[in-house]
Amino acid sequence: MENIYNLTIEQLEEYFLGIGEKKFKAIQTYSWLYEKRISSFDEMTDMKKSVIEKLNEDFTLESLKVIKVERDKEVNKYLFELYDGSLVESVLMRHDYGTSICVSSQVGCNMGCRFCESGRLKKVRDLKAYEMVLQILEVEKDIEKRISHVVIMGIGEPFDNYENVTNFIKIINHPKGLAIGSRHITVSTSGIVPKILEFADFPYQVNLAVSLHAPNDKIRNEIMPINKAYKIKDIIDALKIYYKKTNRRITFEYIMLDGINDSDKDAQELCNLLKDLNCYVNLIPYNETNNIQYKRSKNDRILKFYDIIKKNNVGVTIRREFGSKISAACGQLRSKKEEL
Ligand code: SAH
Ligand code: SF4
């Protein structure tokens, strides 16, 4: 039986037409699922009994199991168990502009970035769209508030699970779905070039972030094996096409790793690489983990790196650190649990 939260509005309309009902029942159903938050189809008081029976036959409303919640002032971290026993996590962050959630898109990740906990644990499977939707619904239930921003930056490579991720975006962006504005949704990729090009034609104005983490192929090859398949130049060329089509500014993520990618020369080389793009760089202080040897760059190094980029007139920010105390970086909670 399929989970009802997996369906985009078009798919649900098709379903109703297929069972000889009017298309608008899809909107009605969305409003029960996402506005009224029912836990059983029987609560849909404006639906005929025969339709409710059919929905009960064809769909489940089953949610994710919350295994663990870690709470801090600015961050909550959730560990979920999926129907097959797989574990994924979501992180909720409170900002002055609202709340954002970092959603996982796969169980594990095959990209194998050397600094990343998620990459240490090989991909088991892709998440279905409903498993991403339910991460949001469960967290909203817990905090009793609506989430304003969504970043697909948890465990997994979203562009290695393109169809489910784009369906997920359609569902949460729909005004009768979770109604999260497309400009409040960000997808982060390690740089899967063919999918960046496909994404350029995806007709939703969502933000794209690219995990660059190095100013040249030599360094990037060492820390991100995916760079052997898609070189930095291929990524930049794809992003130029993406920009031409979407006119949307690109974010580059850059983890600051002590002695690896954080020299003055690296900063200058990064600026030369990015100077023709409408973009900005988000410097991320590395969140150290027990299993991986890399160290976070010293604070004064991060500030110097920041200054060089700024002087070159490239937009730059330093990511505020969230929840390093409660293992909030990508894959860390799940990884701890798997070791128990
Ligand atoms: N696979 C996608 C999205 C998930 S990873 C991607 O790589 O972009 C989200 C971000 O977290 C990436 O920029 C990744 O490099 C970063 N990240 C992974 N491990 C981290 C750590 N220990 N500390 C800080 N950032 C980390
Ligand atoms: Fe996968 Fe992203 Fe981690 Fe790399 S950084 S292993 S792409 S989740």
Side-chain angles (χ1 to χ4, degrees):
M1 233 190 324
E2 189 168 12
N3 193 300
I4 189 95
Y5 297 105
N6 209 42
L7 272 63
T8 63
I9 199 80
E10 289 80 18
Q11 290 169 331
L12 201 52
E13 284 172 354
E14 231 169 82
Y15 168 79
F16 279 114
L17 290 174
I19 61 167
E21 294 292 336
K22 291 263 163 36
K23 206 162 109 167
F24 75 86
K25 290 234 163 31
I27 290 281
Q28 246 175 308
T29 306
Y30 253 42
S31 138
W32 285 106
L33 295 176
Y34 298 108
E35 286 170 3
K36 304 187 191 86
R37 306 280 165 107
I38 51 168
S39 50
S40 152
F41 294 122
D42 301 333
E43 295 169 44
M44 299 166 64
T45 45
D46 58 359
M47 289 278 184
K48 293 187 291 207
K49 217 162 157 231
S50 61
V51 173
I52 292 179
E53 267 168 27
K54 192 80 181 92
L55 286 169
N56 273 318
E57 270 169 38
D58 293 336
F59 296 107
T60 120
L61 285 151
E62 203 179 335
S63 195
L64 311 179
K65 209 152 123 196
V66 184
I67 295 291
K68 190 171 175 194
V69 188
E70 291 184 12
R71 293 170 205 280
D72 209 341
K73 217 167 73 211
E74 295 179 309
V75 185
N76 289 2
K77 174 113 177 175
Y78 298 82
L79 187 67
F80 295 112
E81 185 179 311
L82 311 179
Y83 71 88
D84 61 352
S86 296
L87 301 173
V88 292
E89 60 195 56
S90 314
V91 181
L92 173 90
M93 289 159 279
R94 297 178 187 84
H95 312 265
D96 41 16
Y97 57 79
T99 51
S100 72
I101 183 173
C102 176
V103 170
S104 293
S105 60
Q106 296 179 315
V107 182
C109 180
N110 273 345
M111 302 304 130
C113 303
R114 304 269 186 254
F115 47 78
C116 175
E117 282 288 349
S118 307
R120 240 170 36 83
L121 306 162
K122 283 273 155 254
K123 179 174 105 174
V124 177
R125 68 174 174 87
D126 292 330
L127 292 199
K128 303 280 282 177
Y130 79 87
E131 293 174 307
M132 295 179 252
V133 172
L134 284 169
Q135 291 174 50
I136 303 183
L137 289 178
E138 278 302 325
V139 173
E140 287 192 342
K141 187 153 86 185
D142 181 59
I143 62 172
E144 297 177 343
K145 251 210 316 245
R146 299 296 291 257
I147 288 167
S148 60
H149 290 66
V150 175
V151 296
I152 310 172
M153 283 192 194
I155 301 169
E157 168 48 54
F159 281 178
D160 183 37
N161 183 18
Y162 191 82
E163 195 182 337
N164 286 311
V165 165
T166 46
N167 278 348
F168 164 65
I169 293 171
K170 291 178 190 172
I171 296 167
I172 63 171
N173 178 243
H174 194 278
K176 291 282 177 191
L178 283 169
I180 295 171
S182 55
R183 287 179 174 76
H184 289 188
I185 302 172
T186 302
V187 184
S188 171
T189 180
S190 57
I192 317 280
V193 165
K195 295 297 169 190
I196 293 176
L197 294 172
E198 195 172 339
F199 200 60
D201 293 320
F202 182 61
Y204 291 74
Q205 296 283 299
V206 274
N207 306 304
L208 180 62
V210 176
S211 295
L212 192 61
H213 306 327
N216 59 50
D217 286 328
K218 184 161 176 293
I219 298 176
R220 202 165 191 265
N221 283 340
E222 260 171 51
I223 57 179
M224 298 180 74
I226 184 68
N227 199 62
K228 305 219 164 84
Y230 306 111
K231 303 265 169 272
I232 291 182
K233 181 171 186 311
D234 304 335
I235 296 175
I236 301 286
D237 286 348
L239 289 173
K240 284 185 179 155
I241 296 172
Y242 169 89
Y243 183 75
K244 227 187 213 153
K245 289 191 175 172
T246 62
N247 225 11
R248 295 201 59 74
R249 186 157 79 147
I250 297 145
T251 304
F252 287 102
E253 291 155 278
Y254 196 102
I255 295 187
M256 300 295 296
L257 299 166
D258 185 29
I260 304 285
N261 63 357
D262 63 350
S263 71
D264 289 357
K265 188 171 156 280
D266 295 333
Q268 191 55 55
E269 198 175 355
L270 183 66
C271 295
N272 299 345
L273 185 70
L274 304 182
K275 64 178 186 315
D276 296 333
L277 285 173
N278 184 357
C279 67
Y280 80 94
V281 180
N282 193 200
L283 298 176
I284 309 173
Y286 181 57
N287 212 325
E288 293 175 13
T289 93
N290 290 333
N291 306 304
I292 300 173
Q293 293 317 305
Y294 291 118
K295 294 276 172 265
R296 161 205 309 243
S297 304
K298 306 276 178 297
N299 282 347
D300 55 347
R301 191 69 322 260
I302 298 178
L303 290 174
K304 184 78 193 298
F305 203 91
Y306 171 89
D307 281 341
I308 294 173
I309 300 178
K310 191 131 195 148
K311 282 207 183 82
N312 277 271
N313 292 319
V314 176
V316 57
T317 51
I318 300 177
R319 180 175 295 174
R320 222 175 103 207
E321 283 182 77
F322 278 107
S324 43
K325 282 200 288 299
I326 64 166
S327 51
C330 187
Q332 290 186 358
L333 187 65
R334 167 172 179 265
S335 152
K336 264 206 297 204
K337 178 89 184 173
E338 306 253 302
E339 279 160 15
L340 295 178

